[in-house]
Amino acid sequence: MLRSTWRTWSGTVGCAPAQLVRPTSEDEIVQAVRAAAGSGLTVRAVGTGHSFNRLATTPGVLLDLTSYSGVIAVDRAAGHVTVRAGTRIAALCEELDRAGLALENIGTLGEQTVAGALSTGNHGTGLAHPPLSGQVARVRLVTADGAVRDIGPDGDPDLWGAVRTALGTLGVLSTVTLRCVPQFNLRLRLSDEPLDALLERFTDWAAQSEHPSLNWLPWTDRVTLRSVDRTTQAATPRAPLRRYAATLDEVRCGLTGQVAKAAGAAAVPWLTRRLGGLWPDSTYTDASHRVFTFPQPVRFLAMEHALPLERTADALRGLRPVLRRLGTYSPYSVLVRVGAGDDVPLSPAYGRATGYVNLTVPRTADQIEILRAAECVLREHEARPHWGKAHTATAELLAPRYPRWQDFQRVRAELDPLGVFSNEYVQKVLGPVTAPALTGVAR
């Protein structure tokens, strides 16, 4: 055990836990949880820190799972892979690729751990694809009493739903078994059109590609559309160089943000236009995981909300005048993705086809004002915030937006009645643990 400090990837959130533990086995996770509970300390688990809020912080015991990683088993016949919780998604995908397999859909950031991505409701894009929770076949969970539970769809349905997006409040995920598909290639194509024209046909556009997304710079009236679809074509020669066009765009954003600090917000649109033509065309074909993800070397803050698909266009219409009135601009574009509904109680996509609106800003106080202004607009459209990104929502606001909120709270109270896996931030967004007898719902 080490006494140390920990910070998120963005460097904007940190904590000084009483104990920082880096387990390398399930037994060590069990021992750490039992010891913490016996000492009256709270426990939070962390991965690579790609969250933008205080969800993982604790004054108690912090379990850093990044050394507890690696593939345990690949079952080609069943199409399953079992991994340790701290395995990075990129490392998992590379190993699956060597085995001729792939994950059906993932988000843009390969450096996240499997458990971290699952616990916060992470997702890719595509109306046929729910969040990562929809690809889970089984999990093993270390609970507050140090027991290890094997949980799957053949057991308690409320527990099975709750454990797949739980914000780390039900216990420590030890292993995750994911469903795989045969390896496949994706073709990425870019186009652009006027924003208003796109908004008029938003739901149709969302269905025209298997994995669509769009980027919009709020001071412009055009959007860049990304269409990503399966293909039998071979990988484009020098495909990795094409892939790094997205990374170059991150560097452009970082440079623009630095210039804006010195020259003021008015310089951002001008500089973005000047630098925009320097980067190579990023249309290419490659293995699925190398198209879904791209490196993100510039550190930033991000906020994302999940909206009913049919309200996403109106939300973007509402954002346009608000973002333009602020007098400051983020060098990053607004990213919009879509996804299938989910059956997981705390999934931001629960029960509805979803449009995801993501805003990214540099790590400065004036830029954070952009997120606050946008959050007010998005809330008016039944938005649910991403659990791992910046937002100011509380349990009082969130509970009415999740039809199965009490189902989750009942499972939480049964597995962790003393709040071992809670912290101040968890109590803000989920409320305190409530004993099952007080919920008014019988098991």
Side-chain angles (χ1 to χ4, degrees):
M1 293 186 179
L2 301 173
R3 187 177 182 87
S4 186
T5 59
W6 177 86
R7 299 196 73 79
T8 58
W9 170 83
S10 68
T12 56
V13 172
C15 65
Q19 298 171 5
L20 176 59
V21 182
R22 295 186 173 92
T24 59
S25 69
E26 184 177 82
D27 285 345
E28 289 180 5
I29 296 174
V30 169
Q31 293 167 15
V33 170
R34 286 178 176 168
S39 301
L41 296 174
T42 56
V43 178
R44 297 297 291 162
V46 297
T48 51
H50 282 88
S51 290
F52 302 98
N53 57 45
R54 303 193 68 83
L55 182 62
T57 60
T58 182
V61 176
L62 193 67
L63 295 182
D64 181 343
L65 299 180
T66 54
S67 296
Y68 178 59
S69 64
V71 172
I72 296 172
V74 176
D75 185 336
R76 293 181 178 84
H80 286 174
V81 60
T82 300
V83 300
R84 298 178 182 90
T87 306
R88 287 169 170 80
I89 290 175
L92 167 60
C93 289
E94 289 289 350
E95 187 152 346
L96 287 175
D97 188 60
R98 289 190 288 270
L101 297 170
L103 296 180
E104 186 174 355
N105 193 28
I106 54 176
T108 61
L109 186 59
E111 288 304 302
Q112 291 177 308
T113 62
V114 170
L118 181 62
S119 297
T120 54
N122 277 26
H123 60 90
T125 186
L127 287 181
H129 302 281
L132 182 63
S133 56
Q135 298 176 64
V136 178
R138 292 197 88 77
V139 303
R140 284 172 66 87
L141 182 76
V142 179
T143 54
D145 58 359
V148 180
R149 300 186 62 165
D150 187 82
I151 304 169
D154 51 352
D156 181 339
D158 285 348
L159 175 57
W160 172 237
V163 77
R164 285 180 286 153
T165 299
L167 285 65
T169 63
L170 304 185
V172 181
L173 287 172
S174 171
T175 66
V176 179
T177 300
L178 295 161
R179 287 190 292 273
C180 306
V181 296
Q183 192 277 343
F184 61 98
N185 284 357
L186 289 171
R187 177 72 171 169
L188 182 150
R189 294 173 291 108
L190 299 178
S191 61
D192 74 295
E193 69 175 85
L195 172 64
D196 288 325
L198 183 280
L199 295 180
E200 286 297 321
R201 66 180 192 94
F202 184 83
T203 55
D204 290 337
W205 162 78
Q208 286 180 351
S209 173
E210 185 174 0
H211 305 284
S213 62
L214 69 84
N215 293 83
W216 167 52
L217 292 166
W219 58 84
T220 72
D221 290 313
R222 298 190 71 83
V223 290
T224 298
L225 308 179
R226 292 166 55 96
S227 298
V228 176
D229 295 281
R230 291 196 184 209
T231 180
T232 57
Q233 295 178 1
T236 302
R238 304 173 71 186
L241 295 179
R242 304 292 186 94
R243 179 176 181 241
Y244 275 85
T247 304
L248 289 172
D249 192 59
E250 291 293 307
V251 174
R252 173 189 61 78
C253 288
L255 291 172
T256 304
Q258 293 300 315
V259 172
K261 288 181 183 179
V268 173
W270 177 87
L271 188 59
T272 299
R273 287 193 295 270
R274 293 300 184 274
L275 293 179
L278 296 180
W279 316 127
D281 173 52
S282 59
T283 300
Y284 67 98
T285 297
D286 205 350
S288 58
H289 63 283
R290 289 194 287 270
V291 178
F292 284 138
T293 66
F294 56 88
Q296 298 180 358
V298 180
R299 305 196 177 209
F300 51 74
L301 290 174
M303 178 186 78
E304 182 181 78
H305 282 66
L307 294 76
L309 182 69
E310 66 275 10
R311 298 199 62 169
T312 307
D314 282 343
L316 293 173
R317 291 187 182 99
L319 276 177
R320 177 163 47 183
V322 170
L323 295 179
R324 290 181 178 181
R325 282 198 302 265
L326 288 176
T328 187
Y329 291 107
S330 168
Y332 298 90
S333 58
V334 176
L335 169 64
V336 180
R337 292 175 287 175
V338 299
D342 200 0
D343 63 354
V344 172
L346 284 193
S347 171
Y350 178 82
R352 65 196 192 190
T354 299
Y356 299 98
V357 179
N358 183 93
L359 287 92
T360 299
V361 299
R363 300 171 296 171
T364 59
D366 63 320
Q367 295 286 315
I368 293 172
E369 289 301 315
I370 296 174
L371 301 185
R372 291 174 177 160
E375 185 176 28
C376 291
V377 174
L378 297 174
R379 280 183 183 174
E380 296 174 0
H381 296 273
E382 302 179 25
R384 301 165 180 160
H386 189 299
W387 293 114
K389 297 188 181 182
H391 68 89
T392 63
T394 63
E396 289 74 19
L397 184 144
L398 292 168
R401 300 186 180 217
Y402 285 87
R404 295 187 59 197
W405 183 268
Q406 289 302 328
D407 291 340
F408 179 86
Q409 297 290 11
R410 185 170 60 249
V411 173
R412 178 186 175 205
E414 290 179 354
L415 264 66
D416 186 22
L418 300 180
V420 171
F421 298 109
S422 189
N423 66 9
E424 184 177 344
Y425 187 83
V426 167
Q427 293 196 43
K428 172 188 171 184
V429 297
L430 293 185
V433 177
T434 304
L438 301 180
T439 65
V441 181
R443 282 292 281 162

